[in-house]
Amino acid sequence: MRPDVEAIAEQVFVALADPSRRALLAALAESGPATATDLATRLPITRQAIAKHLNLLEEAGLVTAEPGERRRVRYRLRSAPMQVAQQFLAALARDWDGRLDALKDHLDR
């Protein structure tokens, strides 16, 4: 597996490890692009904490910041890093499937 794929997958997994960041991603997926202030009205997280989490999500490539009206920044989901992480997991699963099948064959003999 290419090192850049592993690095992207690692950033995604680190970002998804926190329940607040997962809640932010779910809110963006459900309602579309939003500002940190919009998200703070929907979630039991302070606006400052939301801004911190959105920054990490942006570093992981899972959201992108877009300039909006009156200097407000709207955050939009990006699916590409999630797809890389899914491919990483699929490759691991294939490796394990082959090993587990070989073990099963060995034990059946």
Side-chain angles (χ1 to χ4, degrees):
M1 186 146 308
R2 296 185 333 258
D4 55 331
V5 170
E6 288 186 32
I8 293 168
E10 180 179 358
Q11 284 186 307
V12 169
F13 297 141
V14 166
L16 294 177
D18 185 275
S20 295
R21 289 192 288 272
R22 291 193 306 270
L24 286 168
L25 291 173
L28 290 170
E30 181 180 317
S31 301
T35 66
T37 303
D38 295 336
L39 292 164
T41 63
R42 291 188 250 161
L43 299 168
I45 310 168
T46 66
R47 194 214 168 283
Q48 291 79 14
I50 286 174
K52 178 182 166 188
H53 288 303
L54 285 170
N55 196 20
L56 194 143
L57 290 169
E58 187 175 15
E59 288 174 11
L62 293 168
V63 300
T64 186
E66 302 173 342
E69 301 171 2
R70 295 178 289 167
R71 296 179 24 186
R72 295 180 67 182
V73 176
R74 297 179 69 77
Y75 292 88
R76 177 184 303 275
L77 287 178
R78 290 190 65 240
S79 63
M82 192 71 76
Q83 292 170 349
V84 171
Q86 288 174 325
Q87 292 167 354
F88 177 83
L89 290 174
L92 286 178
R94 282 190 302 273
D95 288 348
W96 274 103
D97 287 345
R99 291 180 179 147
L100 291 173
D101 287 344
L103 177 61
K104 181 185 179 303
D105 290 345
H106 176 73
L107 294 174
D108 286 345
R109 282 188 231 136

